[in-house]
């Protein structure tokens, strides 16, 4: 990857910052493209002089994406949303990036999708991810598509959200308690992106589902988080009739789910075949190996709490 110019669309986001750091460590030149590149300036010290570039680009303005990818050797589209206009961002936006990469003569494209991507999904999120993949394939047939399960890491919006609730709520409701997840560490997903770029013969035109070594139900995951933060609030697994009402109307303060996410939770979020991490030569990282390092902030006493081994 040394001296390869990699353009990261959305490179300053949660996953993007890890991808950028992994590429910079390998000597690649990294161009961060996003609407407000100033929000990604924190990445500049991670590389050498001139190794990191920043460019303003709007996913829904084809001319700005074309400028962003011009001269790139490879492109990675990291943009995704959990709420909002899925069709514009995750379908139309994905198509715009893939078409721009193809027109620019980019050697390889990696597109970040998600487990559950399916044009026939009952949820708008799942449909948009599936339709986005189809749009990418139509424009750039050799693209690599990565489908991670729930991605966890210090800045995530999943483990941290439940940890905050466990640390502050008198009762913790669990919706769809039986739904299974295979949380994957953000650093492993970043390594998967780099591996796909380094080995195009292995990854070109393929789709890889990425999951960690732990498969946990929603109920078991919430209890794991509670144990990690040393909190013991009552954890109540709600029946679907109640959970569906909460998701639909949001009458429970701080309800951690939308109506569309409720539909997604009807199916397990786990790797369906061979784990793509293994196929790409990456050993999956367990939750226990890294999560305690940041979850300590939710314990009583925070950083002064008794170490987990005590």
């Amino acid at each position: 990857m040394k001296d390869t110019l990699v353009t990261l669309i959305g490179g300053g986001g949660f996953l993007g910052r890890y991808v950028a750091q992994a590429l910079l460590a390998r000597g690649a030149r990294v161009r961060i493209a996003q609407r407000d590149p100033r929000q990604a300036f924190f990445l500049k010290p991670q590389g050498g002089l001139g190794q990191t570039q920043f460019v303003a680009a709007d996913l829904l303005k084809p001319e700005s994406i074309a400028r962003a990818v011009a001269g790139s050797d490879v492109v990675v589209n990291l943009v995704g949303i959990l709420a909002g206009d899925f069709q514009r961002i995750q379908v139309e936006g994905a198509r715009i990036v893939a078409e721009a990469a193809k027109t620019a003569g980019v050697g390889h494209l990696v597109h970040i999708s998600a487990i559950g991507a399916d044009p026939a999904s009952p949820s708008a999120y799942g449909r948009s991810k599936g339709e986005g993949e189809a749009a990418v394939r139509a424009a750039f047939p050799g693209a690599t598509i990565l489908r991670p399960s729930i991605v966890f890491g210090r800045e995530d919006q999943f483990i941290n959200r439940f940890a905050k609730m466990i640390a502050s709520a008198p009762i913790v409701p669990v919706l769809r308690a039986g739904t299974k997840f295979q949380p994957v560490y953000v650093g492993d997903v970043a390594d998967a992106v780099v591996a796909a770029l380094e080995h195009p013969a292995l990854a070109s035109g393929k789709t890889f589902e990425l999951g960690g070594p732990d498969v946990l139900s929603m109920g078991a995951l919430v209890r794991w988080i509670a144990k990690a933060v040393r909190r013991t609030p009552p954890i109540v697994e709600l029946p679907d009739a109640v959970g569906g009402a909460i998701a639909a109307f949001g009458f429970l303060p701080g309800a951690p789910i939308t109506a569309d996410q409720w539909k997604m939770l009807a199916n397990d979020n786990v790797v369906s075949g061979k784990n793509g991490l293994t196929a790409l030569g990456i050993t999956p990282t367990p939750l226990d190996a890294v999560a305690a390092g940041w979850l300590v902030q939710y314990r009583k006493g925070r950083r002064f709490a008794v170490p987990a081994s005590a």
Side-chain angles (χ1 to χ4, degrees):
M1 297 300 296
K2 185 172 177 57
D3 294 328
T4 299
L5 178 56
V6 185
T7 294
L8 303 181
I9 309 296
F14 169 46
L15 173 58
R17 66 189 64 191
Y18 286 84
V19 176
Q21 291 174 54
L23 288 167
L24 291 168
R26 287 166 171 79
R29 293 179 294 139
V30 176
R31 179 185 291 164
I32 307 295
Q34 58 188 60
R35 198 178 318 180
D36 183 358
R38 292 173 299 180
Q39 295 180 354
F41 281 179
F42 65 90
L43 288 167
K44 196 169 184 177
Q46 302 294 323
L49 183 64
Q51 194 179 359
T52 312
Q53 306 173 16
F54 300 89
V55 59
D58 188 325
L59 189 68
L60 298 178
K61 294 181 178 178
E63 66 280 4
S64 74
I65 296 298
R67 287 195 299 268
V69 304
S72 303
D73 296 305
V74 292
V75 172
V76 182
N77 182 15
L78 296 140
V79 179
I81 56 174
L82 295 174
D85 194 336
F86 296 129
Q87 193 70 22
R88 292 186 72 207
I89 301 299
Q90 296 181 165
V91 181
E92 183 63 13
R95 180 189 64 77
I96 288 171
V97 172
E99 288 181 350
K102 189 67 175 179
T103 300
V106 168
H108 194 43
L109 170 67
V110 174
H111 176 74
I112 306 299
S113 185
I115 288 179
D118 183 352
S121 173
S123 83
Y125 176 86
R127 285 196 304 276
S128 70
K129 283 294 191 181
E131 291 170 5
E133 290 184 1
V136 169
R137 284 271 180 253
F140 203 117
T144 298
I145 294 174
L146 301 181
R147 293 178 172 177
S149 182
I150 296 297
V151 181
F152 70 90
R154 182 176 296 275
E155 308 90 349
D156 72 46
Q157 298 179 38
F158 188 78
I159 300 294
N160 280 298
R161 188 168 188 176
F162 280 102
K164 289 176 184 176
M165 181 181 296
I166 289 166
S168 60
I171 297 175
V172 178
V174 181
L175 288 70
R176 299 280 203 199
T179 299
K180 294 179 181 178
F181 294 88
Q182 196 168 351
V184 58
Y185 179 50
V186 63
D188 292 344
V189 180
D191 286 344
V193 172
V194 175
L197 296 177
E198 289 181 324
H199 306 288
L202 169 66
S204 181
K206 296 182 181 178
T207 298
F208 297 90
E209 293 188 341
L210 312 178
D214 307 302
V215 177
L216 301 167
S217 69
M218 176 68 87
L221 181 56
V222 171
R223 288 180 172 83
W224 181 90
I225 297 169
K227 182 178 179 181
V229 301
R230 308 238 179 126
R231 303 276 187 165
T232 57
I235 296 174
V236 181
E237 297 186 0
L238 300 178
D240 282 356
V242 176
I246 290 172
F249 302 108
F251 61 75
L252 181 71
I257 194 169
T258 65
D260 197 68
Q261 289 166 349
W262 172 258
K263 293 176 183 177
M264 282 292 290
L265 286 174
N267 298 304
D268 292 337
N269 195 279
V270 299
V271 172
S272 59
K274 182 178 181 180
N275 195 330
L277 291 180
T278 303
L280 292 167
I282 300 159
T283 301
T285 302
L287 270 166
D288 278 335
V290 292
W294 81 83
L295 288 179
V296 66
Q297 66 185 298
Y298 301 107
R299 295 178 184 171
K300 293 178 181 178
R302 297 176 184 258
R303 65 190 181 92
F304 299 106
V306 178
S309 60

